Amino acid sequence: MKIISWNINGIRAAEKKGFLTWLAKVSPDIMCLQEIKAMPDQLELKLREPNGYHTYWNPAERKGYSGTAILSKKKPKSIKTNFGSRSILSKEGRLIEADFGDFILLNIYFPNGKMDGRLEYKMKFYDAFLKYANKLKQKRKKIIFCGDINTAHKEIDLFHPKTNQKTSGFLPQERAWLDKVVKHGYLDTLRE
């Protein structure tokens, strides 16, 4: 099974650059998109429902902002975008859960911590996500999570690690969270 994750930075802009042609050529079984920046009703049918794919959208309430989508050749057993009205995970269209029976796929677009007050929000989001994923794991669910984590884990992941040590996206507390994810038994497929 081929699963591809891509922060598309605007699905309409990507379409103008040949996204649908690329999708047909590469033909992943599951395509996870982050930062779609569009409501489904703003998209032409060919983009909203690409040929051969079931599509699931979780746009942000604010137009032109964040949002996630899953395109899948196989129809999942269920899709979840609401994790409770008070849950930070339900806000800004940042998470889609797809239950494929054998595994649960979590497509996630973690917040950026660079704007005023967003680092605290980002860290709360991180903690809420790990708690949620661990609950699924306790139920003996196999989990794949992918997306834009908005943090570089190791120095090798950045061109200028020394100059970014005080920048959100490479702060010690953000990197420590990724260490915690690995300690909880999740594998980083890039490292593997």
Side-chain angles (χ1 to χ4, degrees):
M1 177 176 280
K2 185 191 307 184
I3 301 172
I4 296 178
S5 176
W6 183 6
N7 178 325
I8 202 153
N9 194 17
I11 193 159
R12 290 172 290 184
E15 179 192 19
K16 291 176 185 170
K17 296 176 184 175
F19 171 71
L20 289 174
T21 302
W22 175 87
L23 181 68
K25 180 180 177 185
V26 175
S27 190
D29 297 293
I30 301 172
M31 182 82 230
C32 295
L33 301 173
Q34 305 86 41
E35 205 172 0
I36 57 172
K37 295 184 178 181
M39 305 287 184
D41 62 3
Q42 294 177 296
L43 307 175
E44 292 181 34
L45 184 62
K46 66 181 182 178
L47 186 57
R48 190 172 60 240
E49 299 175 17
N51 195 19
Y53 287 93
H54 303 277
T55 56
Y56 307 95
W57 302 89
N58 190 14
E61 292 174 9
R62 188 171 86 187
K63 289 186 176 184
Y65 183 72
S66 119
T68 50
I70 293 177
L71 290 62
S72 177
K73 290 181 178 178
K74 178 183 175 185
K75 187 173 183 173
K77 291 171 64 176
S78 65
I79 290 288
K80 184 175 181 180
T81 58
N82 186 337
F83 302 87
S85 61
R86 290 205 232 163
S87 175
I88 197 169
L89 299 176
S90 296
K91 309 217 184 302
E92 299 180 349
R94 293 187 176 275
L95 178 60
I96 299 179
E97 175 182 315
D99 184 341
F100 286 96
D102 295 342
F103 66 95
I104 290 181
L105 176 68
L106 301 167
N107 177 25
I108 189 159
Y109 175 44
F110 288 93
N112 182 318
K114 293 180 182 172
M115 296 183 288
D116 292 338
R118 290 295 279 193
L119 180 59
E120 182 180 345
Y121 180 82
K122 179 180 184 179
M123 298 310 296
K124 285 180 181 177
F125 194 98
Y126 273 175
D127 291 341
F129 173 75
L130 187 56
K131 184 177 178 181
Y132 182 76
N134 284 339
K135 279 185 183 178
L136 292 174
K137 204 164 87 169
Q138 288 172 350
K139 295 177 183 177
R140 303 218 181 271
K141 302 288 184 181
K142 294 179 183 172
I143 300 165
I144 297 173
F145 81 85
C146 63
D148 184 344
I149 296 173
N150 259 320
T151 295
H153 191 192
K154 305 286 183 188
E155 287 193 3
I156 196 170
D157 298 326
L158 284 179
F159 189 68
H160 295 291
K162 299 289 185 225
T163 57
N164 281 292
Q165 290 181 351
K166 294 183 180 180
T167 304
S168 180
F170 199 60
L171 294 172
Q173 62 265 41
E174 294 167 313
R175 297 171 65 202
W177 181 82
L178 286 167
D179 290 335
K180 186 176 3 175
V181 168
V182 172
K183 285 178 186 169
H184 280 249
Y186 298 95
L187 300 176
D188 180 342
T189 57
L190 177 67
R191 300 288 184 239
E192 295 295 314

